[in-house]
Amino acid sequence: MMETLMAAPVASAIFVITILTSLMAFSNEDLLAKLILHPYTVYRKKNIYTVFTSGLIHNDWMHLIFNMFSYFFFAFNLERLIGHWQFGFLYIVSLGLSDIPTIFKHKDDYGYRSLGASGAVSAVIFGSILYSPWATMMILPLPIPIWYFAFGVLYLVYCHYAARYARDNVNHDAHLFGAICGLGLTIILHLSVLPAFFQQISEGAKYHLHF
């Protein structure tokens, strides 16, 4: 475990800070109010910092566990592949950009607030998929390993469903835009990843699907 943390110091710092800040905000309403994203206010150029700080807090235990579980599986390896400052850049920029559609969507809704690292976590997941689409992971209660790219598809399907029917402060809309940011920024940072991705998809399809 320590070896993993040392090899990916930026991902480790984000992981620890996000968990600690979320836990503190669970029992501190004043802290939660200061960090949460309020699109009405941000659109009017106030409390711009909450575009980023809202990614450090979560709605409840399940929201925190879901995001950090997904982050844990993908972030540490992605930092080793893409580089330390590159990983930090991808995470922070994706966190900010993925909130922009939410800000415009709810710019006149004074009562709406949102929180969560969903956009940045989506960026990490889809950045990782570009490098290793056929890598596998185990997700309970599924009895078999699932490919990274398949997890990405299921992740977005769940997020789309949650965005339509959610009645909470979770920024579900950020998942899709975060995924787009993750793909785009990873390609910009490492242009060679795109042809390598298509080659892996082609070769993997022939192997797994027996074309």
Side-chain angles (χ1 to χ4, degrees), residues 6 13 17 21 27 34 58 66 69 75 78 80 85 107 113 119 121 123 125 130 145 150 163 177 186 203 209:
M6 294 292 290
I17 291 170
T21 307
S27 58
K34 289 178 182 178
H58 289 78
F66 177 75
F69 171 84
L78 180 61
R80 288 193 290 267
W85 75 262
K107 60 185 175 65
R113 288 165 175 78
V121 172
I125 291 172
L130 282 175
F177 296 102
T186 301
E203 293 177 353
L209 305 178

Side-chain angles (χ1 to χ4, degrees), residues 144-173:
I144 59 173
I146 184 172
W147 294 312
Y148 276 15
F149 80 87
F151 175 82
V153 172
L154 293 174
Y155 183 84
L156 288 183
V157 168
Y158 161 76
C159 295
H160 174 71
Y161 176 85
R164 290 186 62 184
Y165 299 102
R167 297 294 184 270
D168 53 30
N169 291 322
V170 178
N171 191 356
H172 296 287
D173 290 328

Side-chain angles (χ1 to χ4, degrees), residues 38-48 103 106-109:
H38 187 211
Y40 182 94
T41 301
V42 172
Y43 184 78
R44 288 156 180 80
K45 299 180 174 59
K46 297 179 181 179
N47 297 340
I48 305 295
I103 293 169
H106 296 281
K107 60 185 175 65
D108 296 318
D109 185 355

